[in-house]
Amino acid sequence: MNVIKVSANSRTAAVAGAIAGVMREHRYAEVQSIGAGAVNQAVKAIILAKGYLVNDGIDIICVPNLLMLRLTAKFGPLSN
Amino acid sequence: MNVIKVSANSRTAAVAGAIAGVMREHRYAEVQSIGAGAVNQAVKAIILAKGYLVNDGIDIICVPNLLMLRLTAKFGPLSN
């Protein structure tokens, strides 16, 4: 299942639509965001998605968690 | 039950302690925040509080929601 990645510039309605779609299919969705602006958009999108799913009889609860990113550096020309 | 109000400058550990305390007593806590920075601190505090409560056998799930603020203006001298 694809993780829904949210940035500070993501439109909440679009993210909420994605969350609702994944929730309908899997009854579970994973949302990732980095930074305060992105976390804020994600929370607002979850609230919106909750509304989208009311008629499907699906209620959203969320379990926030921290994500450890493993950053790797590659040295070489930019085209790599 | 008191609502836990979180600002962008709130210390996550302090907020998490407050959430954990209220959760232990009521099995329910209400957290309010306004603005991206504050929402971010609140989400981080919930994640921390989840850790604080593991040994109590309490698991946190959260249900984000929008809050309608009713702003009222009073006209008169500042001392009022």
Side-chain angles (χ1 to χ4, degrees):
Chain A
M1 195 183 56
N2 284 340
V3 170
I4 299 163
K5 295 189 179 171
V6 183
S7 83
N9 300 317
S10 297
R11 283 177 46 240
T12 48
V15 176
I19 294 173
V22 175
M23 283 296 295
R24 282 190 195 100
E25 197 172 345
H26 300 284
R27 297 290 191 274
Y28 173 88
E30 202 166 326
V31 179
Q32 277 180 17
S33 53
I34 301 176
V39 168
N40 189 44
Q41 290 305 90
V43 170
K44 287 192 289 182
I46 292 167
I47 297 169
L48 261 183
K50 213 173 143 71
Y52 293 175
L53 292 168
V54 162
N55 288 337
D56 301 88
I58 300 173
D59 195 17
I60 291 184
I61 57 167
C62 67
V63 181
N65 222 327
L66 291 175
L67 182 70
M68 187 69 78
L69 291 181
R70 190 183 301 269
L71 301 176
T72 55
K74 263 192 186 168
F75 296 96
L78 277 177
S79 60
N80 280 5
Chain B
M1 195 184 56
N2 285 340
V3 170
I4 299 162
K5 296 190 179 171
V6 183
S7 84
N9 300 318
S10 296
R11 284 177 45 241
T12 48
V15 176
I19 294 173
V22 175
M23 283 296 295
R24 281 189 195 101
E25 196 172 345
H26 299 284
R27 296 291 191 273
Y28 173 89
E30 202 165 327
V31 179
Q32 278 180 16
S33 54
I34 300 176
V39 169
N40 189 45
Q41 290 305 89
V43 171
K44 287 193 290 184
I46 292 167
I47 297 169
L48 260 183
K50 212 172 142 72
Y52 293 176
L53 292 168
V54 162
N55 289 337
D56 300 87
I58 300 173
D59 195 16
I60 290 184
I61 57 166
C62 67
V63 181
N65 222 328
L66 292 175
L67 183 72
M68 187 69 78
L69 290 180
R70 191 183 300 268
L71 301 177
T72 54
K74 262 192 185 170
F75 296 95
L78 278 178
S79 59
N80 280 4

